Amino acid sequence: MKFISALFFAAAAIAPVTADTGKEEPAASIIDLAAADGKYGTLLSAVTNTPGVLDAVVANFPVTIFGPTDAAFAAIADTVAGLDEATLATVLAGHVVAGVYTAEDLITAGCLELMTLAGSNVRVLVSNGMVMVNDSTVIQPDIIGEGGVIHGIDTVILPGTFMPCPAPATPAVPATPGTPAMPTMPTMMGKGGKGSKKTSSGKGGKGSSSKKSSSSSSSGKGSGKGH
């Protein structure tokens, strides 16, 4: 949880603050904020220079962008260099989700499967105090501006890295109206007790008859001998 707390402090520092001048200031766009940050040059260049990508992002505003840093792109520079234009466009679109999901939204949800503009899913999972996007880690949350929010991540999201959210525990199924409820343990024990008493009583009765017959028989034998 320390890591998440640190993320919130970072987010507070990054979120744009409007000066109280008495006039409405135009909000900075998420693109401008990312450019001003200085760690997202490769991402912005790729989005701007790959045909159709920037238009698709703007057309879906507001959006949530999981933005790889320059270091993340540098780590797979050879892979990116080998991608054709269409494939690169798909990879970039796989980092963008329509709608706004702040860090608080993601942490509260615990695990989300979100559809990207590429038509593929990403899993956002809170694990060990960190927010994971597939196998990437959010290292700079809540760059919030006009057009949505950017969360900086430490690796590029590549196809084939999606895994679904863990299945939740199966909830107890409520009884259908009109269906008799299953007996509770005390009730079941109570029924068993009644059965036991009847059985015991029946067995006791048979045992008593035997003893009485035996007694009578003995008495008769004794009398005969006496005479």
Side-chain angles (χ1 to χ4, degrees):
M1 297 303 291
K2 286 183 180 178
F3 185 84
I4 291 176
S5 299
L7 289 183
F8 277 116
F9 281 122
I14 295 163
V17 178
T18 305
D20 187 10
T21 60
K23 298 178 182 179
E24 279 195 28
E25 300 285 337
S29 74
I30 52 175
I31 304 299
D32 291 338
L33 291 170
D37 183 274
K39 291 193 295 290
Y40 301 96
T42 306
L43 172 65
L44 295 175
S45 176
V47 168
T48 303
N49 296 317
T50 305
V53 176
L54 183 59
D55 290 340
V57 172
V58 173
N60 283 279
F61 273 180
V63 295
T64 298
I65 300 175
F66 300 106
T69 61
D70 292 341
F73 274 105
I76 59 163
D78 291 342
T79 302
V80 173
L83 300 177
D84 59 42
E85 221 170 53
T87 305
L88 179 58
T90 300
V91 169
L92 293 171
H95 291 73
V96 186
V97 173
V100 174
Y101 296 88
T102 64
E104 184 178 1
D105 295 331
L106 301 175
I107 291 166
T108 300
C111 190
L112 288 174
E113 295 176 13
L114 302 174
M115 178 73 74
T116 69
L117 298 190
S120 56
N121 284 340
V122 290
R123 180 185 73 174
V124 186
L125 172 72
V126 178
S127 176
N128 297 321
M130 295 182 286
V131 180
M132 307 292 297
V133 186
N134 287 4
D135 55 4
S136 304
T137 302
V138 174
I139 57 174
Q140 187 177 13
D142 286 354
I143 302 174
I144 300 172
E146 185 68 33
V149 58
I150 297 175
H151 301 297
I153 56 177
D154 64 351
T155 56
V156 176
I157 301 171
L158 294 174
T161 57
F162 169 76
M163 290 182 65
C165 287
T170 306
V173 180
T176 306
T179 304
M182 285 292 292
T184 60
M185 186 60 71
T187 309
M188 291 172 73
M189 288 176 69
K191 287 184 177 178
K194 287 182 181 176
S196 298
K197 284 180 182 175
K198 286 181 181 176
T199 306
S200 159
S201 178
K203 285 182 180 175
K206 286 179 183 177
S208 296
S209 284
S210 278
K211 284 179 183 177
K212 283 180 182 174
S213 295
S214 185
S215 266
S216 300
S217 199
S218 296
S219 294
K221 284 179 183 177
S223 301
K225 285 179 181 178
H227 286 295

